[in-house]
């Protein structure tokens, strides 16, 4: 019986090890992909409202100081962070860690907003519909709809033409002026 067990072990050892290695490698790759397309949150998850059509990839949402709302068709690049929390710089040690507002620092991200990779948003702030925030930007103030902002802190660099805005002919523009 020992001889037969040894023979079976030698016959199966290579193929079985290769199969196990292949399956482990596939699972590791799947986990890497999952990490790129799974958001994380800190605080009460019920304070996070993401429209089902939004794509947030691997964003981090901190809802400790307010709610976060992500509108219809909004989409994020990778490593975006939306933070409602802050701490009291006048406190020290453990007291500083625990002294933070529990509400009032809401973040609203409107319909069709694009937050490019590595954007940091600090609430309270509203990013208006169809606005674009350039990669690596820091948003500390409200962003008007149909604008492009960039920088640290983010500043308006362009206004986007609204799709429903009709082009006025030169005659119409002249008739409207006083």
């Amino acid at each position: 019986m020992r001889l037969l067990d040894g023979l079976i072990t030698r016959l199966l050892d290579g193929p079985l090890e290769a199969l196990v290695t292949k399956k482990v490698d596939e699972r590791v790759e799947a986990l890497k992909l999952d990490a790129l397309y799974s958001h994380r949150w800190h605080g009460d998850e019920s304070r996070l409202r993401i429209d089902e059509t939004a794509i947030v990839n691997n964003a981090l949402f901190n809802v400790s100081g307010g709610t976060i709302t992500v509108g219809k068709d909004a989409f994020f690049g990778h490593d975006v962070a939306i933070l409602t929390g802050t701490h009291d710089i006048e406190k020290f040690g453990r007291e500083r860690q625990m002294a933070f507002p529990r509400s009032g620092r809401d973040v609203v991200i409107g319909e069709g907003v694009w937050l490019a990779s590595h954007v940091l948003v600090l609430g309270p702030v509203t990013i208006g519909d169809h606005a674009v925030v350039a990669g690596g930007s820091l948003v500390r103030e409200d962003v008007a709809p149909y604008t492009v902002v960039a920088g640290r802190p983010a500043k308006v660099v362009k206004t986007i033409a609204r799709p429903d805005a009709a082009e006025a002919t030169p005659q119409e523009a002249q008739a409207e002026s006083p």
Side-chain angles (χ1 to χ4, degrees), residues 125-138:
V125 70
T126 297
I127 301 175
D129 293 349
H130 308 288
V132 175
V133 180
S137 295
L138 168 63

Side-chain angles (χ1 to χ4, degrees), residues 79-83 118-122 136-140 152:
D79 298 316
V80 170
I82 313 294
L83 310 177
H118 303 285
V119 165
L120 174 58
V121 177
L122 302 178
S137 295
L138 168 63
V139 178
R140 299 186 318 178
R152 295 182 82 83

Side-chain angles (χ1 to χ4, degrees), residues 60-143:
L60 169 65
F61 298 97
N62 177 320
V63 291
S64 62
T67 62
I68 298 174
T69 304
V70 179
K72 181 178 186 235
D73 297 322
F75 64 105
F76 295 11
H78 291 284
D79 298 316
V80 170
I82 313 294
L83 310 177
T84 64
T86 189
H87 294 270
D88 187 341
I89 63 171
E90 302 297 324
K91 308 288 186 198
F92 301 97
R94 184 82 171 138
E95 189 178 8
R96 180 183 286 169
Q97 291 176 336
M98 302 310 294
F100 61 91
R102 307 286 195 237
S103 63
R105 299 186 50 84
D106 300 344
V107 174
V108 177
I109 298 169
E111 178 179 339
V113 168
W114 172 22
L115 301 180
S117 293
H118 303 285
V119 165
L120 174 58
V121 177
L122 302 178
V125 70
T126 297
I127 301 175
D129 293 349
H130 308 288
V132 175
V133 180
S137 295
L138 168 63
V139 178
R140 299 186 318 178
E141 298 177 352
D142 289 351
V143 176

Side-chain angles (χ1 to χ4, degrees), residues 140-162:
R140 299 186 318 178
E141 298 177 352
D142 289 351
V143 176
Y146 295 94
T147 58
V148 179
V149 297
R152 295 182 82 83
K155 299 292 180 198
V156 175
V157 295
K158 181 177 180 167
T159 301
I160 302 168
R162 294 174 185 250

